[in-house]
Amino acid sequence: MKNGMNTSERTFWKKYLAKAKLDLSYAAYTKVQKSWTDENPACPFNRLYFICEGEGYVRIGDQTYFPKPGELYLLPAGSDQAYGTISDNTFGKYWCHFSAKIGDLDLFQILQTSPCLKVQNPEELVKAFEQLIAYSQSDSITSEFRAYSILMTFIADFIEQNQSIKLNLTSTPTFEKMNKVLLYMEQHIAENVSVDTLSRIAHYHPNYFINAFKQFTGYSPIQYMNHLRSEKAKDLLMTTELNVSQIADALGMELSYFSRMFREQTGFKPTAFRDLRLKTMENSP
């Protein structure tokens, strides 16, 4: 997925994908019955199946798979999903149903993966599933946090270990339009870019554009521009000897506004950020 991307693009997608909102519906271990079979057109949620024993099939779109013990399968939301048995030796599997959305979009329609991977450490995955099941059934006030953490780890591991990952930038027309807007903002980072200008690039009415932009990025246009500027400022603070005033000028900002914006974005004053990072680098082995 990183091939062909510059640092700014990787940073954007890393943070954009991390905005996914997760919601766990069910988690369990099941030794399925011979009658286990169903078809779910455009299923609205994701399924994770970790196969421990037995045999059967799963179908995603027009592709049919025959999972083996030790394999983890993801059936992504929005796809046509089906499953069933093929013998009396039925699946024993850990499983969960969950949603993972960025705005109105499903995470695994944006980030496309191969559906299966061979689990590297099945004992650890079994332990994690057991914990997920326990937290999903717990009345503890922190159980949702714990379940969310485990599910997030499942997703991160699945992505990291997957052999085929690509961004589906055409999953919705919004991507093509917003990518043009984001590129324009990056190229005009030192200018006072208006909402009217950005909405014209996207061919949206200004009022609709603001909502669509926030749905896509999680930021308002001014918040996202400040995010870009703070990222650029961090780079300049670390890689150049420009003083804070010069960096503010390079970003087309008044010094007082730049310093306030940078502190709001990072929690540090610009000079404190530079000093801290330099000390960290000096003390690293």
Side-chain angles (χ1 to χ4, degrees):
M1 187 180 71
K2 293 182 179 180
N3 292 340
M5 284 192 181
N6 60 37
T7 300
S8 178
E9 289 171 331
R10 288 197 299 270
T11 297
F12 168 75
W13 285 109
K14 176 178 71 175
K15 295 187 177 183
Y16 178 70
L17 294 173
K19 294 181 184 298
K21 304 299 183 184
L22 307 184
D23 184 25
L24 177 69
S25 301
Y26 304 99
Y29 177 86
T30 303
K31 174 66 173 176
V32 306
Q33 298 180 350
K34 184 69 166 59
S35 59
W36 182 73
T37 182
D38 201 2
E39 293 188 7
N40 300 275
C43 185
F45 53 81
N46 305 279
R47 287 181 165 94
L48 270 180
Y49 291 162
F50 175 52
I51 309 302
C52 296
E53 61 173 315
E55 58 185 7
Y57 74 88
V58 298
R59 188 162 64 246
I60 305 170
D62 58 358
Q63 295 292 315
T64 300
Y65 305 89
F66 298 91
K68 296 179 174 60
E71 292 180 340
L72 181 66
Y73 271 77
L74 170 72
L75 285 64
S79 63
D80 294 339
Q81 302 176 8
Y83 51 81
T85 58
I86 58 175
S87 74
D88 291 334
N89 182 24
T90 61
F91 282 143
K93 62 184 178 67
Y94 285 95
W95 58 274
C96 66
H97 297 173
F98 67 96
S99 64
K101 287 184 171 289
I102 305 176
D104 293 330
L105 304 175
D106 291 305
L107 172 63
F108 289 106
Q109 295 299 316
I110 301 169
L111 187 68
Q112 295 183 328
T113 70
S114 61
C116 169
L117 59 84
K118 181 72 174 178
V119 174
Q120 298 175 358
N121 194 327
E123 293 81 9
E124 281 191 8
L125 185 58
V126 166
K127 183 179 178 180
F129 257 113
E130 291 285 357
Q131 291 176 327
L132 182 65
I133 294 166
Y135 288 130
S136 71
Q137 299 171 352
S138 172
D139 292 330
S140 168
I141 197 170
T142 61
S143 60
E144 291 288 330
F145 291 107
R146 298 294 186 184
Y148 181 93
S149 175
I150 294 170
L151 185 56
M152 187 67 83
T153 299
F154 281 177
I155 292 173
D157 288 346
F158 191 88
I159 292 171
E160 288 176 354
Q161 297 175 32
N162 209 276
Q163 297 299 310
S164 175
I165 297 287
K166 67 177 182 178
L167 289 166
N168 180 18
L169 302 184
T170 60
S171 59
T172 168
T174 302
F175 271 98
E176 183 178 353
K177 292 178 179 180
M178 289 301 173
N179 283 334
K180 290 180 181 178
V181 170
L182 299 181
L183 180 60
Y184 182 89
M185 294 174 77
E186 187 173 332
Q187 292 174 338
H188 297 80
I189 194 171
E191 300 175 21
N192 185 19
V193 179
S194 70
V195 169
D196 284 344
T197 297
L198 299 177
S199 63
R200 283 196 297 271
I201 294 171
H203 303 291
Y204 285 148
H205 186 279
N207 291 339
Y208 179 80
F209 169 77
I210 293 174
N211 291 330
F213 187 90
K214 191 165 187 179
Q215 191 76 8
F216 183 74
T217 65
Y219 299 96
S220 69
I222 185 60
Q223 288 172 334
Y224 186 75
M225 183 61 90
N226 283 341
H227 165 72
L228 286 179
R229 288 166 172 162
S230 68
E231 291 296 312
K232 181 65 174 179
K234 286 192 287 186
D235 181 59
L236 293 174
L237 286 165
M238 292 306 304
T239 61
T240 75
E241 296 183 359
L242 295 175
N243 61 39
V244 175
S245 180
Q246 290 171 318
I247 292 174
D249 287 341
L251 296 174
M253 304 175 72
E254 293 183 1
L255 178 58
S256 59
Y257 181 79
F258 166 73
S259 296
R260 184 169 68 253
M261 178 276 296
F262 189 87
R263 187 168 186 175
E264 289 173 353
Q265 292 282 323
T266 68
F268 295 95
K269 294 180 179 179
T271 51
F273 177 85
R274 173 177 269 167
D275 291 343
L276 178 65
R277 292 301 299 271
L278 289 175
K279 288 179 182 178
T280 302
M281 292 174 63
E282 290 173 356
N283 293 332
S284 62

